[in-house]
Amino acid sequence: MKLSPITIILIGLSILIMALSYGLFQHYLPNKAEAANFNTFAEQLKTEGDKLPQAEKRLKNAKERVSQYADQWRGVVETRTPEASLAARGVDISVDLWQLVKDTRDFRNNVQRAINAQLVKGGVKVVGDGPLIETPTDSAQEILAGFYNYPAIAFPVTIFNLGQVTVEGTYEQILENVRAWKNMPHYLAVADGLSLEGTSPHLRGTYSVTVVGYIRGKKIYPSVPESGATGGTTGGGPAGFGGGPAGVGPGMRGGPAGMPPNGPGMMPGRPGGGR
């Protein structure tokens, strides 16, 4: 069958339309949309890139502040925290918990001596017995929680709420006594709520005191398992504050579970008693 010229032209136009439609919908329009997306993304990258100098400046400032705070904290550690050894009147928390029970009693005695010395700063006289730090627990299972507030607080720290202190002296002596607490060596102490009574120069001052001791050290022994209270101990090593292997170090012989072999020992008391 012979096709007429019009038929051939129509067939050609149909093929051309199909080809144009294919190119339009399969290539041109998708590529245009993709190009628009790329342009939008490029603008977003440019916007974020323009923020980079400000971000770098903020990062630099943040690092400087961290370094500044670290320097300040190092200064606090050097002068306002207990030493990390019993010989220096501090405490070493990396020893096994049986030893820590015994060492904590000696540490408590040293803290009491420091408080007793602080109570008479300025030349005042302490009225009554003065504050007394509680005796630490004899339990190796409870020593960290009971005396060092760990793990209730994320790091070992001693907190002594001494309650009210009453001293006698002149106005200047009492003020010097209260102010001296903020400079207590190796501890962070706060005295507040001062009230005065009497007639100058013979005055009586009453105030409240709290003493905090951040314990130095990077390692601490794991908790003693309940079975350890019956005698034997299991092997293990120091663990970080975040946790560590189970078990405790070498046990101390000669005493009941949780009790140092040499017994409670003598402890210094309030001002006026043994120190």
Side-chain angles (χ1 to χ4, degrees):
M1 181 179 68
K2 185 177 180 180
L3 299 176
S4 66
I6 294 179
T7 302
I8 295 174
I9 292 173
L10 291 176
I11 293 173
L13 288 174
S14 299
I15 295 173
L16 178 62
I17 290 172
M18 286 188 293
L20 292 175
S21 298
Y22 177 81
L24 177 65
F25 294 106
Q26 297 297 321
H27 293 282
Y28 177 75
L29 292 180
N31 289 344
K32 182 179 180 182
E34 185 176 4
N37 291 336
F38 276 119
N39 289 335
T40 301
F41 183 57
E43 289 295 329
Q44 293 174 349
L45 291 178
K46 183 177 182 302
T47 300
E48 294 301 320
D50 293 339
K51 297 178 182 178
L52 183 59
Q54 297 178 354
E56 291 177 340
K57 184 177 180 180
R58 288 197 298 269
L59 177 61
K60 180 181 178 182
N61 292 338
K63 289 181 177 179
E64 290 177 351
R65 286 197 298 270
V66 169
S67 178
Q68 178 183 357
Y69 294 146
D71 290 339
Q72 292 176 354
W73 179 244
R74 279 190 288 270
V76 171
V77 170
E78 289 298 322
T79 60
R80 309 302 295 279
T81 62
E83 296 289 346
S85 70
L86 197 61
R89 297 195 172 186
V91 66
D92 179 7
I93 58 173
S94 67
V95 299
D96 68 78
L97 297 183
W98 306 101
Q99 181 66 39
L100 187 60
V101 170
K102 179 179 181 299
D103 290 352
T104 298
R105 288 179 169 267
D106 294 333
F107 175 54
R108 175 264 172 209
N109 294 351
N110 290 331
V111 177
Q112 184 70 61
R113 292 187 184 98
I115 290 174
N116 290 351
Q118 201 70 32
L119 284 168
V120 295
K121 292 289 185 180
V124 298
K125 177 183 176 181
V126 180
V127 177
D129 293 331
L132 182 68
I133 299 177
E134 292 185 1
T135 303
T137 177
D138 292 329
S139 170
Q141 288 81 10
E142 300 174 1
I143 187 65
L144 287 175
F147 194 83
Y148 298 100
N149 298 288
Y150 178 85
I153 300 177
F155 43 84
V157 56
T158 56
I159 303 174
F160 307 111
N161 293 312
L162 304 182
Q164 287 194 328
V165 174
T166 301
V167 295
E168 289 181 343
T170 65
Y171 179 76
E172 290 75 15
Q173 287 175 328
I174 293 175
L175 285 186
E176 183 179 349
N177 176 259
V178 173
R179 291 168 179 165
W181 284 100
K182 70 177 181 180
N183 296 319
M184 182 179 180
H186 303 296
Y187 296 92
L188 296 173
V190 176
D192 62 359
L194 174 64
S195 62
L196 296 171
E197 60 180 10
T199 303
S200 182
H202 304 293
L203 296 174
R204 175 174 291 190
T206 301
Y207 56 89
S208 299
V209 178
T210 300
V211 176
V212 177
Y214 289 101
I215 306 303
R216 303 190 196 187
K218 297 181 179 179
K219 293 183 178 180
I220 191 169
Y221 255 74
S223 299
V224 178
E226 292 298 327
S227 60
T230 60
T233 60
T234 58
F241 290 152
V248 297
M252 297 179 64
R253 300 179 181 178
M259 173 68 74
N262 297 326
M266 298 297 292
M267 293 192 176
R270 299 179 174 90
R275 293 188 182 178

